[in-house]
Amino acid sequence: MALVGDDVTLSYDTKQLKDISEETVEWSRADLKPDLVHLHEDRRTFYKLQNPAYRGRTVLLEEDLERGIISLRLSRVRLADEGNYTCLFSSVHNQYTVQLLV
């Protein structure tokens, strides 16, 4: 849950007891076109395919990745940010959904 203008962190604990910083992590929203919110691979963020509404407002927390937790910080929350966010984590080929209420 977040208020308009707040920063919020969407997190999922993968239960991996290792550093996952070099894995591919993709956050998306199926109701958006393009649907990509944030893409992280090999300790780098790729912005080319990111939905313009999220440019400059997302960061994956490296310190959490080192503990097996996927945490996406979304800054300056907008009412339009409300919805279901899907996280795809490559090393276990699983996807997780987190709901953000604004």
Side-chain angles (χ1 to χ4, degrees), residues 1-95:
M1 222 180 227
L3 297 174
V4 172
D6 283 353
D7 293 350
V8 67
T9 302
L10 308 176
S11 291
Y12 185 80
D13 187 345
T14 66
K15 310 289 190 235
Q16 303 281 314
L17 299 176
K18 63 177 185 166
D19 184 351
I20 58 171
S21 299
E22 294 184 15
E23 303 291 341
T24 298
V25 176
E26 179 181 310
W27 284 89
S28 62
R29 278 187 52 193
D31 62 326
L32 298 178
K33 297 296 175 218
D35 67 345
L36 187 64
V37 172
H38 192 93
L39 177 62
H40 172 92
E41 280 184 318
D42 298 322
R43 298 186 185 269
R44 295 183 10 202
T45 297
F46 294 89
Y47 298 102
K48 187 175 181 180
L49 301 175
Q50 186 180 38
N51 186 298
Y54 291 92
R55 287 230 172 92
R57 299 194 308 128
T58 63
V59 66
L60 213 56
L61 303 180
E62 281 289 325
E63 61 273 14
D64 282 357
L65 289 174
E66 292 169 0
R67 298 178 313 168
I69 300 169
I70 302 169
S71 296
L72 179 73
R73 169 124 347 116
L74 176 59
S75 61
R76 302 178 310 279
V77 169
R78 304 170 183 169
L79 192 55
D81 293 335
E82 184 169 280
N84 291 320
Y85 290 76
T86 300
C87 176
L88 180 64
F89 175 53
S90 69
S91 74
V92 291
H93 303 290
N94 283 324
Q95 66 180 31

